[in-house]
Amino acid sequence: MSKQSKAKRDKRKKQQPKRPINRLNAQQPVQNHAVLTNEEGQVVAAIGLQGTEWLLAIGGQTMGNADNPVPMLAMLKHLSNVQEKEGRKVNLEYSAQLQQLIDDLAADEGKTADEYLSQLVSEFEGVEGDDEANADADDAEIVADDAAAAPADAEPAPAASDDKPQA
């Protein structure tokens, strides 16, 4: 081997065009299928398809993934409803492929797509209602515990009111 062979080889490598490195686990691009935007046009949340996996992104961060995007879409629809109740204007748009998936699932249950999606959204609203009912029950238990702990000769503690006049 000559003393100049390494120099020649290095020179040849520098002259060759750069080629991309192909990795075995290269990330596939994410295709957006549902986008929730606020009144300024900023994306609040989105559902995307990466390969065969559906991803939920909120605030620019991936929050979860699933095989079925319909529950995630119901969650975005519920979020949209909550935002509108609070006076914020939001817009939820989704792809024809996602709409077709909803149509197929709704047809399996003998419902329209709107009815099917509304049923799923109402499940999220029911969860919030359960939390409020549990909180009211916890408040009632605290009042009952306070009344039981009071001495027998003391006057009972007034019951918690929810701004309702007592007769």
Side-chain angles (χ1 to χ4, degrees), residues 2 13 19-20 23 35 40 51 57-58 60 62 70 79 81 112-114 119 122-123 127 131 136 158-159 164:
S2 74
K13 281 185 180 179
R19 57 187 178 141
R23 303 212 185 274
V35 178
E40 290 90 32
I58 300 176
T62 302
V70 177
L79 180 62
N81 293 343
T112 66
D114 290 336
Q119 175 191 356
S122 68
E123 291 176 10
V127 169
D131 289 344
D136 291 343
K164 296 178 186 171

PDB file of all heavy atoms in Angstrom, residues 2 13 19-20 23 35 40 51 57-58 60 62 70 79 81 112-114 119 122-123 127 131 136 158-159 164:
ATOM      1  N   SER A   2       0.497   2.194  -0.789  1.00  0.00           N
ATOM      2  CA  SER A   2       1.313   3.403  -0.876  1.00  0.00           C
ATOM      3  C   SER A   2       0.984   4.370   0.252  1.00  0.00           C
ATOM      4  O   SER A   2      -0.072   4.288   0.884  1.00  0.00           O
ATOM      5  CB  SER A   2       1.118   4.080  -2.231  1.00  0.00           C
ATOM      6  OG  SER A   2      -0.131   4.698  -2.255  1.00  0.00           O
ATOM      7  N   LYS A  13     -13.794  10.680  -1.142  1.00  0.00           N
ATOM      8  CA  LYS A  13     -14.987  10.709  -0.287  1.00  0.00           C
ATOM      9  C   LYS A  13     -15.562  12.115  -0.175  1.00  0.00           C
ATOM     10  O   LYS A  13     -16.773  12.303  -0.168  1.00  0.00           O
ATOM     11  CB  LYS A  13     -14.647  10.186   1.119  1.00  0.00           C
ATOM     12  CG  LYS A  13     -14.582   8.693   1.210  1.00  0.00           C
ATOM     13  CD  LYS A  13     -14.370   8.271   2.657  1.00  0.00           C
ATOM     14  CE  LYS A  13     -14.294   6.783   2.796  1.00  0.00           C
ATOM     15  NZ  LYS A  13     -14.073   6.371   4.193  1.00  0.00           N
ATOM     16  N   ARG A  19     -25.229  11.502   0.883  1.00  0.00           N
ATOM     17  CA  ARG A  19     -26.420  10.683   0.695  1.00  0.00           C
ATOM     18  C   ARG A  19     -27.142  10.582   2.038  1.00  0.00           C
ATOM     19  O   ARG A  19     -26.504  10.558   3.095  1.00  0.00           O
ATOM     20  CB  ARG A  19     -26.082   9.313   0.150  1.00  0.00           C
ATOM     21  CG  ARG A  19     -25.138   8.541   0.984  1.00  0.00           C
ATOM     22  CD  ARG A  19     -24.712   7.267   0.301  1.00  0.00           C
ATOM     23  NE  ARG A  19     -23.765   6.633   1.197  1.00  0.00           N
ATOM     24  CZ  ARG A  19     -23.702   5.354   1.421  1.00  0.00           C
ATOM     25  NH1 ARG A  19     -24.494   4.547   0.755  1.00  0.00           N
ATOM     26  NH2 ARG A  19     -22.845   4.866   2.255  1.00  0.00           N
ATOM     27  N   PRO A  20     -28.436  10.540   2.008  1.00  0.00           N
ATOM     28  CA  PRO A  20     -29.182  10.484   3.257  1.00  0.00           C
ATOM     29  C   PRO A  20     -28.989   9.142   3.948  1.00  0.00           C
ATOM     30  O   PRO A  20     -28.777   8.113   3.310  1.00  0.00           O
ATOM     31  CB  PRO A  20     -30.643  10.662   2.827  1.00  0.00           C
ATOM     32  CG  PRO A  20     -30.671  10.206   1.421  1.00  0.00           C
ATOM     33  CD  PRO A  20     -29.302  10.549   0.846  1.00  0.00           C
ATOM     34  N   ARG A  23     -32.706   5.003   7.953  1.00  0.00           N
ATOM     35  CA  ARG A  23     -32.784   4.234   9.185  1.00  0.00           C
ATOM     36  C   ARG A  23     -33.905   3.203   9.061  1.00  0.00           C
ATOM     37  O   ARG A  23     -34.903   3.424   8.385  1.00  0.00           O
ATOM     38  CB  ARG A  23     -33.050   5.146  10.359  1.00  0.00           C
ATOM     39  CG  ARG A  23     -32.011   6.240  10.505  1.00  0.00           C
ATOM     40  CD  ARG A  23     -31.815   6.612  11.952  1.00  0.00           C
ATOM     41  NE  ARG A  23     -30.930   7.730  12.128  1.00  0.00           N
ATOM     42  CZ  ARG A  23     -29.605   7.644  12.203  1.00  0.00           C
ATOM     43  NH1 ARG A  23     -29.020   6.489  12.091  1.00  0.00           N
ATOM     44  NH2 ARG A  23     -28.872   8.716  12.378  1.00  0.00           N
ATOM     45  N   VAL A  35     -58.928  18.416  13.052  1.00  0.00           N
ATOM     46  CA  VAL A  35     -58.210  19.556  13.602  1.00  0.00           C
ATOM     47  C   VAL A  35     -59.201  20.466  14.316  1.00  0.00           C
ATOM     48  O   VAL A  35     -60.228  20.851  13.744  1.00  0.00           O
ATOM     49  CB  VAL A  35     -57.477  20.346  12.484  1.00  0.00           C
ATOM     50  CG1 VAL A  35     -56.774  21.557  13.049  1.00  0.00           C
ATOM     51  CG2 VAL A  35     -56.493  19.456  11.764  1.00  0.00           C
ATOM     52  N   GLU A  40     -58.364  32.411  16.588  1.00  0.00           N
ATOM     53  CA  GLU A  40     -57.195  32.996  15.930  1.00  0.00           C
ATOM     54  C   GLU A  40     -56.635  32.096  14.839  1.00  0.00           C
ATOM     55  O   GLU A  40     -55.653  32.436  14.194  1.00  0.00           O
ATOM     56  CB  GLU A  40     -56.088  33.285  16.958  1.00  0.00           C
ATOM     57  CG  GLU A  40     -56.386  34.421  17.907  1.00  0.00           C
ATOM     58  CD  GLU A  40     -57.085  33.946  19.167  1.00  0.00           C
ATOM     59  OE1 GLU A  40     -56.825  32.807  19.598  1.00  0.00           O
ATOM     60  OE2 GLU A  40     -57.900  34.702  19.704  1.00  0.00           O
ATOM     61  N   GLY A  51     -48.824   5.817   9.917  1.00  0.00           N
ATOM     62  CA  GLY A  51     -48.794   4.392   9.580  1.00  0.00           C
ATOM     63  C   GLY A  51     -50.181   3.812   9.782  1.00  0.00           C
ATOM     64  O   GLY A  51     -51.123   4.151   9.075  1.00  0.00           O
ATOM     65  N   ALA A  57     -53.079  14.694  19.515  1.00  0.00           N
ATOM     66  CA  ALA A  57     -52.146  15.740  19.930  1.00  0.00           C
ATOM     67  C   ALA A  57     -52.952  16.919  20.474  1.00  0.00           C
ATOM     68  O   ALA A  57     -53.912  17.362  19.843  1.00  0.00           O
ATOM     69  CB  ALA A  57     -51.288  16.187  18.759  1.00  0.00           C
ATOM     70  N   ILE A  58     -52.547  17.376  21.651  1.00  0.00           N
ATOM     71  CA  ILE A  58     -53.188  18.534  22.269  1.00  0.00           C
ATOM     72  C   ILE A  58     -52.093  19.506  22.664  1.00  0.00           C
ATOM     73  O   ILE A  58     -51.135  19.125  23.340  1.00  0.00           O
ATOM     74  CB  ILE A  58     -54.018  18.135  23.507  1.00  0.00           C
ATOM     75  CG1 ILE A  58     -55.113  17.152  23.099  1.00  0.00           C
ATOM     76  CG2 ILE A  58     -54.614  19.360  24.182  1.00  0.00           C
ATOM     77  CD1 ILE A  58     -55.926  16.608  24.237  1.00  0.00           C
ATOM     78  N   GLY A  60     -49.796  20.772  20.859  1.00  0.00           N
ATOM     79  CA  GLY A  60     -48.530  20.479  20.212  1.00  0.00           C
ATOM     80  C   GLY A  60     -47.811  19.251  20.741  1.00  0.00           C
ATOM     81  O   GLY A  60     -46.726  18.933  20.284  1.00  0.00           O
ATOM     82  N   THR A  62     -48.070  15.025  21.702  1.00  0.00           N
ATOM     83  CA  THR A  62     -48.838  13.804  21.521  1.00  0.00           C
ATOM     84  C   THR A  62     -49.285  13.303  22.886  1.00  0.00           C
ATOM     85  O   THR A  62     -48.476  13.084  23.777  1.00  0.00           O
ATOM     86  CB  THR A  62     -47.997  12.736  20.814  1.00  0.00           C
ATOM     87  OG1 THR A  62     -47.562  13.266  19.554  1.00  0.00           O
ATOM     88  CG2 THR A  62     -48.799  11.473  20.578  1.00  0.00           C
ATOM     89  N   VAL A  70     -62.326   7.164  16.673  1.00  0.00           N
ATOM     90  CA  VAL A  70     -63.657   7.717  16.938  1.00  0.00           C
ATOM     91  C   VAL A  70     -63.805   8.202  18.387  1.00  0.00           C
ATOM     92  O   VAL A  70     -64.325   9.299  18.601  1.00  0.00           O
ATOM     93  CB  VAL A  70     -64.761   6.711  16.534  1.00  0.00           C
ATOM     94  CG1 VAL A  70     -66.131   7.243  16.873  1.00  0.00           C
ATOM     95  CG2 VAL A  70     -64.666   6.425  15.046  1.00  0.00           C
ATOM     96  N   LEU A  79     -64.701  18.687  23.816  1.00  0.00           N
ATOM     97  CA  LEU A  79     -63.862  19.838  24.108  1.00  0.00           C
ATOM     98  C   LEU A  79     -64.357  21.071  23.369  1.00  0.00           C
ATOM     99  O   LEU A  79     -64.399  22.172  23.926  1.00  0.00           O
ATOM    100  CB  LEU A  79     -62.408  19.534  23.732  1.00  0.00           C
ATOM    101  CG  LEU A  79     -61.382  20.624  23.968  1.00  0.00           C
ATOM    102  CD1 LEU A  79     -61.288  20.981  25.439  1.00  0.00           C
ATOM    103  CD2 LEU A  79     -60.019  20.181  23.451  1.00  0.00           C
ATOM    104  N   ASN A  81     -67.465  21.608  22.446  1.00  0.00           N
ATOM    105  CA  ASN A  81     -68.709  22.036  23.102  1.00  0.00           C
ATOM    106  C   ASN A  81     -68.420  22.812  24.380  1.00  0.00           C
ATOM    107  O   ASN A  81     -69.063  23.830  24.660  1.00  0.00           O
ATOM    108  CB  ASN A  81     -69.598  20.830  23.410  1.00  0.00           C
ATOM    109  CG  ASN A  81     -70.131  20.172  22.163  1.00  0.00           C
ATOM    110  OD1 ASN A  81     -70.122  20.756  21.078  1.00  0.00           O
ATOM    111  ND2 ASN A  81     -70.567  18.927  22.289  1.00  0.00           N
ATOM    112  N   THR A 112     -77.642   7.307  12.628  1.00  0.00           N
ATOM    113  CA  THR A 112     -76.965   8.227  11.722  1.00  0.00           C
ATOM    114  C   THR A 112     -75.620   8.587  12.346  1.00  0.00           C
ATOM    115  O   THR A 112     -75.395   8.376  13.540  1.00  0.00           O
ATOM    116  CB  THR A 112     -77.788   9.513  11.492  1.00  0.00           C
ATOM    117  OG1 THR A 112     -77.861  10.229  12.727  1.00  0.00           O
ATOM    118  CG2 THR A 112     -79.177   9.199  10.972  1.00  0.00           C
ATOM    119  N   ALA A 113     -74.745   9.160  11.556  1.00  0.00           N
ATOM    120  CA  ALA A 113     -73.418   9.534  12.050  1.00  0.00           C
ATOM    121  C   ALA A 113     -73.522  10.570  13.160  1.00  0.00           C
ATOM    122  O   ALA A 113     -72.812  10.489  14.162  1.00  0.00           O
ATOM    123  CB  ALA A 113     -72.562  10.058  10.906  1.00  0.00           C
ATOM    124  N   ASP A 114     -74.439  11.545  13.001  1.00  0.00           N
ATOM    125  CA  ASP A 114     -74.603  12.581  14.026  1.00  0.00           C
ATOM    126  C   ASP A 114     -75.114  11.989  15.339  1.00  0.00           C
ATOM    127  O   ASP A 114     -74.653  12.369  16.416  1.00  0.00           O
ATOM    128  CB  ASP A 114     -75.559  13.675  13.539  1.00  0.00           C
ATOM    129  CG  ASP A 114     -74.936  14.516  12.434  1.00  0.00           C
ATOM    130  OD1 ASP A 114     -73.690  14.577  12.365  1.00  0.00           O
ATOM    131  OD2 ASP A 114     -75.701  15.116  11.649  1.00  0.00           O
ATOM    132  N   GLN A 119     -73.963  10.435  20.833  1.00  0.00           N
ATOM    133  CA  GLN A 119     -74.013   9.461  21.922  1.00  0.00           C
ATOM    134  C   GLN A 119     -72.635   9.348  22.590  1.00  0.00           C
ATOM    135  O   GLN A 119     -72.534   9.329  23.815  1.00  0.00           O
ATOM    136  CB  GLN A 119     -74.442   8.097  21.398  1.00  0.00           C
ATOM    137  CG  GLN A 119     -74.396   6.996  22.452  1.00  0.00           C
ATOM    138  CD  GLN A 119     -74.561   5.608  21.854  1.00  0.00           C
ATOM    139  OE1 GLN A 119     -74.791   5.462  20.666  1.00  0.00           O
ATOM    140  NE2 GLN A 119     -74.435   4.597  22.687  1.00  0.00           N
ATOM    141  N   SER A 122     -71.950  12.457  24.624  1.00  0.00           N
ATOM    142  CA  SER A 122     -72.734  12.497  25.864  1.00  0.00           C
ATOM    143  C   SER A 122     -72.100  11.647  26.955  1.00  0.00           C
ATOM    144  O   SER A 122     -72.284  11.920  28.141  1.00  0.00           O
ATOM    145  CB  SER A 122     -74.174  12.055  25.605  1.00  0.00           C
ATOM    146  OG  SER A 122     -74.217  10.675  25.285  1.00  0.00           O
ATOM    147  N   GLU A 123     -71.334  10.612  26.580  1.00  0.00           N
ATOM    148  CA  GLU A 123     -70.623   9.808  27.579  1.00  0.00           C
ATOM    149  C   GLU A 123     -69.575  10.651  28.298  1.00  0.00           C
ATOM    150  O   GLU A 123     -69.379  10.504  29.498  1.00  0.00           O
ATOM    151  CB  GLU A 123     -69.974   8.588  26.930  1.00  0.00           C
ATOM    152  CG  GLU A 123     -70.976   7.564  26.436  1.00  0.00           C
ATOM    153  CD  GLU A 123     -70.325   6.406  25.700  1.00  0.00           C
ATOM    154  OE1 GLU A 123     -69.077   6.288  25.727  1.00  0.00           O
ATOM    155  OE2 GLU A 123     -71.067   5.626  25.093  1.00  0.00           O
ATOM    156  N   VAL A 127     -69.527  11.888  32.443  1.00  0.00           N
ATOM    157  CA  VAL A 127     -68.403  11.753  33.367  1.00  0.00           C
ATOM    158  C   VAL A 127     -68.268  13.018  34.195  1.00  0.00           C
ATOM    159  O   VAL A 127     -68.066  12.969  35.400  1.00  0.00           O
ATOM    160  CB  VAL A 127     -67.088  11.460  32.587  1.00  0.00           C
ATOM    161  CG1 VAL A 127     -65.883  11.591  33.494  1.00  0.00           C
ATOM    162  CG2 VAL A 127     -67.154  10.091  31.966  1.00  0.00           C
ATOM    163  N   ASP A 131     -68.753  13.501  38.390  1.00  0.00           N
ATOM    164  CA  ASP A 131     -67.782  14.144  39.277  1.00  0.00           C
ATOM    165  C   ASP A 131     -68.464  15.192  40.150  1.00  0.00           C
ATOM    166  O   ASP A 131     -68.181  15.298  41.340  1.00  0.00           O
ATOM    167  CB  ASP A 131     -66.667  14.803  38.474  1.00  0.00           C
ATOM    168  CG  ASP A 131     -65.732  13.780  37.829  1.00  0.00           C
ATOM    169  OD1 ASP A 131     -65.773  12.601  38.257  1.00  0.00           O
ATOM    170  OD2 ASP A 131     -64.981  14.163  36.920  1.00  0.00           O
ATOM    171  N   ASP A 136     -70.842  16.708  45.473  1.00  0.00           N
ATOM    172  CA  ASP A 136     -71.979  17.071  46.316  1.00  0.00           C
ATOM    173  C   ASP A 136     -72.194  16.029  47.406  1.00  0.00           C
ATOM    174  O   ASP A 136     -72.480  16.371  48.550  1.00  0.00           O
ATOM    175  CB  ASP A 136     -73.260  17.220  45.472  1.00  0.00           C
ATOM    176  CG  ASP A 136     -73.203  18.444  44.562  1.00  0.00           C
ATOM    177  OD1 ASP A 136     -72.349  19.332  44.818  1.00  0.00           O
ATOM    178  OD2 ASP A 136     -73.995  18.506  43.607  1.00  0.00           O
ATOM    179  N   PRO A 158     -75.275  24.558  61.011  1.00  0.00           N
ATOM    180  CA  PRO A 158     -76.189  24.801  59.884  1.00  0.00           C
ATOM    181  C   PRO A 158     -75.755  23.979  58.679  1.00  0.00           C
ATOM    182  O   PRO A 158     -74.573  23.786  58.433  1.00  0.00           O
ATOM    183  CB  PRO A 158     -76.056  26.299  59.611  1.00  0.00           C
ATOM    184  CG  PRO A 158     -74.742  26.692  60.207  1.00  0.00           C
ATOM    185  CD  PRO A 158     -74.495  25.742  61.342  1.00  0.00           C
ATOM    186  N   ALA A 159     -76.748  23.476  57.958  1.00  0.00           N
ATOM    187  CA  ALA A 159     -76.486  22.665  56.767  1.00  0.00           C
ATOM    188  C   ALA A 159     -75.953  23.549  55.657  1.00  0.00           C
ATOM    189  O   ALA A 159     -76.292  24.734  55.565  1.00  0.00           O
ATOM    190  CB  ALA A 159     -77.746  21.956  56.322  1.00  0.00           C
ATOM    191  N   LYS A 164     -80.100  28.249  48.147  1.00  0.00           N
ATOM    192  CA  LYS A 164     -81.532  28.012  48.098  1.00  0.00           C
ATOM    193  C   LYS A 164     -82.143  28.546  49.398  1.00  0.00           C
ATOM    194  O   LYS A 164     -81.644  28.248  50.486  1.00  0.00           O
ATOM    195  CB  LYS A 164     -81.855  26.514  47.991  1.00  0.00           C
ATOM    196  CG  LYS A 164     -81.350  25.893  46.703  1.00  0.00           C
ATOM    197  CD  LYS A 164     -81.647  24.416  46.694  1.00  0.00           C
ATOM    198  CE  LYS A 164     -81.015  23.765  45.485  1.00  0.00           C
ATOM    199  NZ  LYS A 164     -81.086  22.325  45.543  1.00  0.00           N
TER     200      LYS A 164
END
